[in-house]
């Protein structure tokens, strides 16, 4: 079956506005997207991608309606629901000494060169190891390339290690490293029925929950009267 494609202006199918969901790297909305399609079949879900640095600006400027974001604290004017906190891992070349352990501590990184990219999401105040003498990698992806080249190690949330996984690298949990919490967030003053529905989906509410917005009435078939007219009861 062919699926209608929303117009490029974001108006959605048959003029229905799309719900724009912001994603930052490492977040995976798959199961919620599928449930949205069942719950709101007439309203497209448009995925918007941004960096952690830009996430709050994208929401405040209205370029997305709701987002899966990484927050250390809730910014003013935003509603935010914490969803899960990720463990942090150290990414090292395959065969590195640290791979001999199932997990490591910050003390185990004391003799390592620690790469910290410009898009770092952990904000480690007093990181272990030696700072790299190389220019700061602009992105986590470029930091991963440096790890593969043997220029240092990298500590990131586990989902980012998985996102940039490659055969010549390995990662191990760092038990006492800072962590990253993923939130569902939106501008409080722009809360809408569609946002409430998506919040309900993420929180596991069923379609029959009393907190779910009432379903919209189905469109009347062409040529059919809404009342009991001439073609109604005899």
């Amino acid at each position: 079956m062919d699926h209608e494609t929303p117009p490029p202006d974001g108006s959605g199918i048959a003029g229905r506005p799309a719900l724009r969901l912001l994603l930052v790297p490492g977040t995976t909305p798959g199961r919620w997207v599928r449930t949205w399609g069942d719950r709101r079949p007439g309203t497209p879900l448009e995925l918007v991608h941004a960096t952690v640095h830009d996430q709050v600006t994208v929401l405040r400027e209205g370029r997305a309606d709701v987002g899966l974001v990484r927050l250390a604290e809730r910014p003013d004017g935003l509603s935010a629901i914490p969803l899960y906190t990720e463990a942090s891992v150290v990414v090292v070349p395959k065969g590195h000494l640290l791979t001999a352990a199932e997990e490591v501590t910050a003390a185990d990184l004391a003799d390592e060169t620690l790469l910290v990219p410009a898009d770092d999401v952990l904000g480690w105040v007093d990181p272990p190891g030696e700072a790299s003498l190389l220019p700061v990698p602009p992105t986590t992806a470029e930091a991963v390339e440096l790890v593969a080249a043997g220029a240092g190690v990298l500590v990131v949330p586990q989902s980012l290690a998985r996102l940039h996984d490659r055969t010549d690298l390995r990662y191990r949990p760092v038990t006492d490293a800072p962590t990253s919490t993923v939130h569902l967030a939106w501008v409080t003053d722009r809360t809408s029925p569609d946002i409430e529905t998506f919040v309900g989906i993420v929180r596991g509410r069923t379609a029959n929950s009393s907190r779910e917005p009432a379903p919209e009435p189905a469109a009347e078939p062409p040529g059919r009267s809404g009342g009991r007219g001439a073609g109604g009861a005899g």
Side-chain angles (χ1 to χ4, degrees), residues 12-216:
I13 298 172
R16 292 283 298 280
L19 181 71
R20 295 162 301 169
L21 174 63
L22 168 66
L23 303 177
V24 297
T27 56
T28 51
R31 65 184 186 278
W32 299 322
V33 170
R34 291 190 292 271
T35 303
W36 175 266
D38 296 335
R39 195 81 54 90
R40 279 283 199 266
T43 303
L45 188 66
E46 176 185 332
L47 302 182
V48 178
H49 297 272
T51 64
V52 170
H53 180 267
D54 294 332
Q55 60 187 4
V56 173
T57 300
V58 170
L59 289 172
R60 284 179 171 159
E61 291 183 351
R63 287 183 272 152
D65 303 302
V66 63
L68 293 175
V69 298
R70 297 182 185 274
L71 298 175
E73 56 186 22
R74 182 173 61 84
D76 292 341
L78 263 62
S79 297
I81 301 170
L83 301 179
Y84 56 90
T85 298
E86 289 190 65
S88 296
V89 300
V90 59
V91 182
V92 299
K94 180 180 178 181
H96 191 283
L97 181 63
L98 291 176
T99 61
E102 292 296 319
E103 58 185 27
V104 300
T105 67
D108 295 321
L109 307 180
D111 296 328
E112 303 294 335
T113 298
L114 187 64
L115 299 164
V116 182
D119 62 356
D120 171 63
V121 300
L122 296 180
W124 204 332
V125 175
D126 187 20
E130 299 291 333
S132 174
L133 298 179
L134 297 173
V136 174
T139 66
T140 297
E142 290 174 80
V144 168
E145 292 288 342
L146 291 174
V147 174
V153 302
L154 173 68
V155 179
V156 291
Q158 185 168 314
S159 67
L160 291 182
R162 288 174 174 167
L163 178 65
H164 299 290
D165 191 29
R166 41 190 289 172
T167 57
D168 55 350
L169 297 178
R170 297 291 185 268
Y171 58 85
R172 292 293 185 270
V174 184
T175 58
D176 51 354
T179 56
S180 174
T181 300
V182 173
H183 292 70
L184 182 67
W186 66 97
V187 175
T188 305
D189 290 345
R190 297 191 202 130
T191 304
S192 67
D194 280 343
I195 289 176
E196 290 177 347
T197 294
F198 193 79
V199 170
I201 288 171
V202 171
R203 302 191 88 169
R205 297 190 203 123
T206 67
N208 297 325
S209 169
S210 60
R211 298 185 65 180
E212 282 290 299
E216 298 181 11

